[in-house]
Amino acid sequence: MSHTGRNIVIGGEAGQGLVTIGQMLTRALIRSGYEVVVSQDYMSRVRGGHNTYSIRVHDAPIAAPAEAMDVLVALNQETVSLHKHELADGGIVILDAGLDPEGTKAVPVPFKDVAPRPIFENVAALGVLGSLLGVDRPTMEGLVRETFGKKGDEVVGQNMKVLDDAWKWAEAHRASCAALPAPRGPKGRMMLHGNEAIALGALAAGVKFCSFYPMTPATSVAQELITKGRKLGVVVEQAEDEIAAINMALGATYAGAKALVPTSGGGFALMTEGVSLAGVMEAPVVIVLAQRPGPATGLPTRTEQADLNLALYAGHGEFPRAILAPATIEDCFHLTHAAFDLTERFQTPVFVLTDQYLSDSYRAVVPFDLDALPPVAEPDFGPGGGPKFKRYKRYELTESGVSPRKVPGFTETLVLADCHEHTEQGNITEDPDLRNAMNDKRLRKGEGLRALCIPPRVSGDARPDLLLVCWGSSEGPVAEAAELLRARGRSVGVMSFTQVWPLDPAQFLPALQAAKEVVCVEGNATGQFARLLRQETGFEVSRTLLRYDGRIFTPNWLAERLS
Amino acid sequence: MDIEVYGEYKKTAWCPGCGNHDVMKAVRQALAGLDLAPNRVAHVSGIGQAAKAPHYIDLNGFNGLHGRGLPPAQAIKLCNPELTVIAQSGDGCNYGEGGNHFLAAIRRNVDMTLLVHDNQIYGLTKGQASPTTPEGQVTKSQPDGVRNAPFNPIAVAVAMKCSFVARSFSGNTPHLVKMIQLAIQHKGFALVDLFSPCVSFNKVNTFGWYKQRCQELPEDYDPTDWAAAMQVAQEFGERIPIGVIYRNDRPSLDASLPVLQKGPLGRQPVDRDGLRALMQSYT
């Protein structure tokens, strides 16, 4: 734990408003110019249970959550009992004066005096936190005004009074909590979590259709497209099930609209036949697979990286695909954008493989430069180029394996998309030579995908004693664990994969071979990526460091096990 | 439109005497009569014998998965409202494997036409019971007779206030052509459950069996009378009514989406200014 940062954890029951407090505080911190990493830990229930909303805040860039709690905001007694052992040295508990601090260094807040009614307790808590941490007060006031503005001046006034009272009360208790160092980050940054960044990346790529069946933690991708994307001309349809969702998306891309399907493990399992259909039909589709622990319903609101094999092998038969695994919120945006280009260009399914931790993790993000984005491939909307009212060669045998893709209704030529093995025009065939030619044509697209594959990010020592290999959201915690180890004098490098399929060994095998020891860090129990590396390169990692208890990697957890 | 524009009616994988031949001829006549150019139609199917239809007629085609014709068909209309969308498949595909999609499509009410080739048997897999096979009928895989109560697609559709519900018979071409045309012209989800006998595997519900029973609804029948339609939907025995059994004018989903007023979604450019403003809303 760095001296200049703080790890603020708000705990309580679902329904007590901890997410509201957490989000407002996060926004205030970002607007003030701090760096944040938010992690949300919640249970599969609407009310009750024990949930936490953790904000690690720092004056310099950070990319991982922390374990030890500097400030624990306990909305109920259970939070104190459960977490008092996780307090950092000097850590404080902020709680209602009526609760028992259980021997912790506590700041008991007389919420009953500060907040005239329970409904104001969220703002009271914000006022106390803001004051204790030394957050810029006008920033906090602006946020309260904005949040309650729609409810009228009277409500704004009441909340401002509560904020003022809470702020003043806390000023008298400032000594109990050292204020944050001055912020250094730029102004005007967005507060985004992974799924919001995915939705924005999709919008930037021109997504026009999204079909989904609600499933945690993927739902908020669709929700963002509904609440924010509708104005930009996106049709979002809640399907009757995941099978319908993916089949709808294939209908949409057939009709020329870029389509996105967000889901999680169990929902994706239902979609696998549709993935196979996309393979043979050569239909573009972007599937966002937000991983959570299985098997089956597993731990439905927690995190894991155990669906790599599922994404790799989903669908019967053999056909190419690409799997991108964002590590950061910026990756979520850029890789989703890239996924649309790849799927349109190669006419085969492309995955954005994320997880609950990244899906729900807010960060401060500089608005994306839309003008700097590369163009996204498009189907051929015409004109001409095919016979009038006859089928053109939708599946023309080409060297690259990619056939010209026309869209029905835009020209006079007819487009036939088919699930069977088919002729170049799309008609059913059982001819063995044509079958081979078509299968080979589809697989050739895999070579094109491989040629464009994104190399892993490598940092730290070039020929390290210890090289940490990771993929997806583990990069932040792994990179900070490497720093902790370096501070102890060890030679450590990090290799982080944001594309896990296809792989191009030439991009990374020499670096793997140059390290003395290679440890693969993954959020699953069987080392799926380590096995994939061995399968593709013959390289065997020295060992794996795995976590599959549904909890996120933290730098300390990793450093302890790597020492 | 000249009927030849939909292609020459060539060799198919259907048995000689299969009702599907007559259905395809009726579809051609219906489209020609409505003057629909082949490139303005998207023809979607699932899997089964009837589902091979997109290969035997020159239209834009999407031959998808078993039971899954309806989801892509609806999405096509929701992405390009300028296309006329027709889905064709069998009773197994639509009422069995795709039963949930059938119910959802009725509720969603996208403007499209569903033609169900109902032969009350699974033909392509060689003679197992389908959802519409009558109780007690002996088949190869139900040697003691079917134990499941049959699915009544008309009653279900009427009960759910499907916006257009018709029944027809492949052996009555003029009637079938008329029903297909009315279904296509109807703005909303239109079901035509049409008997198309399986000459190879259903020895009970034969061409003669249907011909003897199918009787057109009287001219004064009012298909907007829901209670009367519920009554008619129960008739399935010595007399089976055919015709438009029920319809209403509930607005279709596609008609209620303002974004579709601007034409096909695929050609609508990325609204960069809108996206910039959207990013601002996260600050």
Side-chain angles (χ1 to χ4, degrees):
Chain A
M1 183 66 214
S2 159
H3 296 296
T4 50
R6 292 283 181 286
N7 188 27
I8 304 157
V9 178
I10 305 159
E13 283 182 15
Q16 279 194 300
L18 79 168
V19 173
T20 310
I21 300 171
Q23 286 183 350
M24 285 181 78
L25 182 61
T26 307
R27 197 175 295 279
L29 291 167
I30 291 173
R31 284 189 183 175
S32 304
Y34 290 104
E35 310 294 339
V36 296
V37 171
V38 168
S39 45
Q40 300 191 54
D41 188 278
Y42 49 98
M43 296 175 85
S44 182
R45 50 197 292 179
V46 176
R47 291 197 181 277
H50 178 70
N51 299 345
T52 57
Y53 184 105
S54 308
I55 311 164
R56 185 179 175 204
V57 53
H58 212 283
D59 59 337
I62 43 168
E67 272 175 271
M69 302 173 180
D70 299 292
V71 179
L72 173 64
V73 183
L75 300 183
N76 59 7
Q77 193 66 51
E78 189 186 15
T79 303
V80 183
S81 312
L82 280 173
H83 298 293
K84 61 184 176 191
H85 307 295
E86 295 168 63
L87 285 169
D89 288 344
I92 60 163
V93 178
I94 296 173
L95 76 179
D96 184 271
L99 294 176
D100 176 6
E102 300 185 23
T104 58
K105 183 184 168 197
V107 184
V109 184
F111 279 116
K112 284 191 183 59
D113 301 337
V114 184
R117 288 205 307 274
I119 195 173
F120 294 106
E121 277 183 15
N122 287 345
V123 171
L126 269 178
V128 171
L129 279 167
S131 176
L132 291 182
L133 293 165
V135 176
D136 175 53
R137 182 155 166 186
T139 302
M140 197 67 109
E141 285 172 355
L143 194 59
V144 169
R145 212 171 283 126
E146 219 174 272
T147 306
F148 299 99
K150 266 185 250 155
K151 296 185 178 173
D153 291 345
E154 197 189 333
V155 177
V156 171
Q158 287 169 330
N159 279 285
M160 291 299 267
K161 166 95 174 49
V162 172
L163 185 77
D164 185 54
D165 289 349
W167 204 280
K168 279 184 190 147
W169 181 89
E171 263 172 8
H173 297 76
R174 274 300 261 284
S176 58
C177 180
L180 286 164
R184 292 189 266 158
K187 304 283 175 187
R189 288 179 303 172
M190 299 183 286
M191 170 179 158
L192 277 191
H193 64 50
N195 282 353
E196 289 169 338
I198 285 170
L200 287 176
L203 288 168
V207 69
K208 292 295 173 200
F209 188 83
C210 170
S211 38
F212 78 108
Y213 186 85
M215 187 169 187
T216 305
T219 311
S220 54
V221 175
Q223 196 56 51
E224 284 306 299
L225 291 174
I226 293 166
T227 48
K228 306 267 175 65
R230 223 164 25 162
K231 278 188 223 141
L232 300 178
V234 181
V235 170
V236 185
E237 184 60 17
Q238 181 176 323
E240 53 273 27
D241 54 34
E242 285 88 348
I243 298 171
I246 190 157
N247 281 282
M248 278 185 169
L250 301 183
T253 55
Y254 171 76
K258 295 186 179 75
L260 174 74
V261 183
T263 190
S264 187
F268 181 67
L270 288 178
M271 292 183 182
T272 55
E273 192 192 17
V275 174
S276 203
L277 177 62
V280 74
M281 204 171 244
E282 306 196 33
V285 63
V286 173
I287 299 156
V288 174
L289 174 49
Q291 299 166 100
R292 66 187 220 186
T297 310
L299 300 170
T301 60
R302 302 193 183 275
T303 200
E304 200 163 79
Q305 293 183 298
D307 291 341
L308 171 60
N309 285 341
L310 179 66
L312 259 179
Y313 302 114
H316 48 289
E318 299 165 299
F319 53 92
R321 72 190 73 199
I323 307 174
L324 309 177
T328 65
I329 305 300
E330 286 82 355
D331 284 346
C332 285
F333 176 85
H334 288 290
L335 293 182
T336 303
H337 184 271
F340 276 95
D341 181 51
L342 286 176
T343 199
E344 290 286 330
R345 204 188 298 200
F346 293 98
Q347 304 171 20
T348 204
V350 174
F351 294 81
V352 177
L353 188 58
T354 170
D355 53 48
Q356 182 268 330
Y357 158 54
L358 192 59
S359 291
D360 292 335
S361 181
Y362 285 104
R363 316 278 167 92
V365 179
V366 174
F368 304 109
D369 180 358
L370 300 180
D371 298 324
L373 293 172
V376 175
E378 295 270 335
D380 176 8
F381 286 99
K388 183 175 181 175
F389 300 158
K390 295 284 167 209
R391 291 184 183 120
Y392 87 107
K393 290 185 174 178
R394 168 68 190 93
Y395 302 109
E396 188 179 343
L397 294 163
T398 61
E399 206 163 306
S400 65
V402 178
S403 308
R405 180 171 147 250
K406 288 183 173 292
V407 180
F410 286 91
T411 68
E412 290 182 318
T413 200
L414 305 181
V415 185
L416 178 60
D418 184 32
C419 66
H420 306 83
E421 193 52 272
H422 40 241
T423 63
E424 289 181 283
Q425 280 82 10
N427 284 115
I428 302 171
T429 184
E430 305 230 354
D431 180 293
D433 295 331
L434 195 48
R435 154 66 181 181
N436 282 348
M438 278 294 162
N439 215 32
D440 292 345
K441 166 197 131 61
R442 290 189 291 268
L443 291 175
R444 280 199 293 279
K445 296 192 287 186
E447 289 313 306
L449 280 170
R450 195 180 304 270
L452 293 179
C453 110
I454 303 163
R457 284 194 281 254
V458 181
S459 61
D461 303 339
R463 300 174 72 84
D465 290 344
L466 172 65
L467 179 63
L468 301 173
V469 174
C470 59
W471 60 277
S473 72
S474 312
E475 182 187 47
V478 168
E480 193 172 326
E483 271 175 41
L484 291 174
L485 295 173
R486 274 186 222 114
R488 297 175 199 166
R490 290 185 68 182
S491 151
V492 187
V494 175
M495 182 184 283
S496 156
F497 285 82
T498 57
Q499 176 159 4
V500 290
W501 188 259
L503 293 171
D504 176 5
Q507 292 175 337
F508 57 85
L509 190 55
L512 286 180
Q513 287 162 337
K516 260 194 203 147
E517 188 192 8
V518 177
V519 176
C520 191
V521 180
E522 298 186 58
N524 59 58
T526 55
Q528 296 181 16
F529 189 67
R531 287 172 185 225
L532 184 62
L533 274 182
R534 187 176 62 195
Q535 173 193 304
E536 291 301 296
T537 64
F539 182 88
E540 186 125 23
V541 300
S542 317
R543 70 180 169 108
T544 51
L545 176 50
L546 310 171
R547 183 164 201 179
Y548 44 93
D549 56 5
R551 272 63 179 179
I552 53 189
F553 282 118
T554 58
N556 286 328
W557 189 95
L558 289 164
E560 230 172 76
R561 283 157 184 83
L562 289 163
S563 294
Chain B
M1 195 70 59
D2 183 347
I3 203 154
E4 298 303 320
V5 79
Y6 306 107
E8 189 190 335
Y9 192 66
K10 290 169 287 212
K11 222 175 93 181
T12 70
W14 294 330
C15 306
C18 171
N20 294 355
H21 298 290
D22 297 319
V23 179
M24 286 307 287
K25 283 174 196 152
V27 168
R28 275 161 210 270
Q29 280 185 36
L31 296 176
L34 293 175
D35 212 26
L36 275 167
N39 65 325
R40 309 303 301 160
V41 180
H43 186 209
V44 184
S45 71
I47 290 294
Q49 283 295 69
K52 289 176 181 158
H55 298 278
Y56 307 144
I57 181 169
D58 286 350
L59 298 169
N60 291 303
F62 183 108
N63 185 179
L65 298 171
H66 187 48
R68 319 296 170 206
L70 284 172
Q74 295 165 89
I76 290 167
K77 186 71 182 182
L78 290 175
C79 290
N80 187 349
E82 293 170 7
L83 292 171
T84 295
V85 179
I86 300 168
Q88 284 201 70
S89 221
D91 41 326
C93 196
N94 286 298
Y95 306 145
E97 189 98 6
N100 193 23
H101 307 313
F102 176 69
L103 300 181
I106 292 172
R107 294 178 53 217
R108 196 173 279 121
N109 198 32
V110 170
D111 180 18
M112 62 164 287
T113 297
L114 170 64
L115 307 178
V116 182
H117 296 224
D118 191 349
N119 55 19
Q120 304 187 264
I121 200 79
Y122 280 2
L124 188 54
T125 51
K126 303 194 192 295
Q128 301 81 13
S130 93
T132 53
T133 307
E135 209 166 346
Q137 187 162 316
V138 173
T139 75
K140 257 201 302 198
S141 53
Q142 285 80 21
D144 301 325
V146 170
R147 298 283 173 88
N148 295 356
F151 180 74
N152 182 337
I154 301 291
V156 168
V158 174
M160 294 178 70
K161 301 194 172 158
C162 176
S163 81
F164 181 99
V165 184
R167 174 166 260 161
S168 192
F169 169 42
S170 65
N172 185 345
T173 308
H175 185 264
L176 181 55
V177 169
K178 186 74 199 155
M179 290 302 114
I180 295 171
Q181 288 181 334
L182 289 174
I184 291 171
Q185 287 170 319
H186 180 81
K187 297 281 173 222
F189 183 76
L191 164 70
V192 182
D193 182 80
L194 57 97
F195 297 125
S196 172
C198 175
V199 294
S200 298
F201 291 105
N202 192 337
K203 305 297 185 193
V204 178
N205 310 109
T206 61
F207 185 84
W209 191 93
Y210 289 121
K211 191 162 177 68
Q212 200 183 343
R213 287 167 172 76
C214 289
Q215 288 175 32
E216 292 186 37
L217 285 162
E219 278 194 12
D220 62 352
Y221 175 76
D222 176 12
T224 63
D225 180 342
W226 183 78
M230 279 306 282
Q231 284 278 314
V232 169
Q234 304 303 324
E235 291 181 40
F236 196 97
E238 292 310 305
R239 173 180 179 270
I240 304 174
I242 61 171
V244 179
I245 294 168
Y246 177 69
R247 66 177 161 77
N248 62 40
D249 48 15
R250 203 181 130 206
S252 70
L253 176 61
D254 42 292
S256 69
L257 296 174
V259 63
L260 294 185
Q261 307 305 313
K262 289 188 270 177
L265 295 181
R267 287 305 270 163
Q268 295 183 18
V270 178
D271 175 3
R272 291 207 167 194
D273 291 335
L275 189 51
R276 273 189 199 95
L278 174 55
M279 286 199 287
Q280 275 304 307
S281 75
Y282 289 93
T283 58

